[in-house]
Amino acid sequence: MVVERRILLTGDGSHTVSIPGAGVTYHSMHGAAQESRHIFIEAGLKPLITQSRPLNVFEMGFGTGLNALLTLELAAGNNLAIHYVAAEPNPLAAEEYSMLNYCVVLQLQHLTPMFTAMHAAGYEKDVLIHPEFTLHKTMKVETKTNWTNRFDLVYYDAFAPGDQPEMWTENAFATMFDLLNNDGILVTYSSKGAVRRALAAVGFEVEKLPGPMGKREITRAKKKYNI
């Protein structure tokens, strides 16, 4: 089944992708780039860059590749080695991702070839995108026993609970808990009470943080112990 997707401009001049038939967009219409930077980089990745060891990052929903691009930017600028695993069962086609304007809007034109390489990378294998950034795309989510290392950080960027409810259950978050190292963190744009309760139910310590433009709050959860 072919899914119709459209490229749209958001409030900060950066693109998002919409699926008109489902009534969803991949990013906030208030501003895709500012949303991703606020939630996933500022609240998620930056608090971890003081660690001396390489970081393992898992993204639920590679989508437009914006979160990965911003992570690559930080990794390259801080000599921070990152192994980045992204689960994405419905990748964008070349004619779609080639239209995205992130490298221009964010003044990261030097990363354009690497952004393209991330989208073009094959699945179920490690691909060296940059000396500090290795990407592994997967069609499915697997438990920690299927990876060499557990993860330090999860970007939880699935479609909203109302659109993809199966991704916001206790079972789904138990898998994320299992994937993480102790003291690992999960960040997501959703601050719904049901989401926070599901995270807490599987063992996360949950906190609400101020959200980006157009959103009052976001959620950050830390794994403090094994159940």
Side-chain angles (χ1 to χ4, degrees):
M1 179 180 176
V2 177
V3 177
E4 180 191 7
R5 291 186 286 225
R6 297 177 184 173
I7 309 296
L8 303 178
L9 276 176
T10 67
D12 64 3
S14 62
H15 281 141
T16 189
V17 172
S18 75
I19 304 177
V24 300
T25 59
Y26 284 41
H27 303 286
S28 169
M29 289 303 297
H30 291 280
Q34 63 90 24
E35 176 195 43
S36 286
R37 194 182 295 279
H38 181 103
I39 299 170
F40 301 107
I41 305 303
E42 297 295 331
L45 183 58
K46 279 193 174 179
L48 299 178
I49 64 173
T50 57
Q51 298 185 20
S52 59
R53 61 184 172 80
L55 292 177
N56 295 305
V57 178
F58 181 88
E59 179 178 20
M60 179 61 76
F62 182 78
T64 64
L66 176 56
N67 296 335
L69 175 66
L70 292 172
T71 302
L72 168 60
E73 176 194 16
L74 195 74
N78 290 275
N79 295 317
L80 174 67
I82 290 180
H83 186 258
Y84 195 100
V85 175
E88 179 54 71
N90 299 296
L92 298 182
E95 59 268 24
E96 295 171 322
Y97 65 71
S98 63
M99 295 173 61
L100 297 173
N101 67 358
Y102 303 133
C103 291
V104 174
V105 168
L106 297 170
Q107 299 183 12
L108 298 174
Q109 288 92 335
H110 61 292
L111 297 181
T112 299
M114 298 171 209
F115 181 67
T116 300
M118 287 193 289
H119 277 283
Y123 272 65
E124 313 304 341
K125 62 181 180 180
D126 283 0
V127 178
L128 184 66
I129 302 296
H130 178 276
E132 304 291 355
F133 188 94
T134 299
L135 175 65
H136 186 115
K137 293 195 295 190
T138 183
M139 289 283 182
K140 53 192 177 298
V141 181
E142 301 183 19
T143 64
K144 67 177 186 297
T145 56
N146 298 96
W147 302 104
T148 303
N149 299 301
R150 291 185 184 179
F151 295 91
D152 304 294
L153 175 62
V154 169
Y155 296 162
Y156 208 79
D157 204 16
F159 287 126
D163 301 307
Q164 209 172 16
E166 71 278 7
M167 300 301 295
W168 302 88
T169 63
E170 288 184 24
N171 284 342
F173 288 134
T175 298
M176 296 299 103
F177 191 91
D178 195 40
L179 284 172
L180 281 165
N181 284 310
N182 286 332
D183 291 324
I185 61 176
L186 176 152
V187 283
T188 184
Y189 61 87
S190 180
S191 63
K192 287 183 175 294
V195 170
R196 289 185 280 107
R197 288 190 294 272
L199 285 163
V202 301
F204 282 105
E205 290 188 356
V206 182
E207 61 179 326
K208 293 188 291 185
L209 300 176
M213 184 182 301
K215 187 165 186 60
R216 189 174 68 178
E217 295 171 331
I218 61 172
T219 300
R220 182 167 62 193
K222 179 177 282 190
K223 176 178 178 176
K224 294 297 292 182
Y225 54 85
N226 284 314
I227 292 179

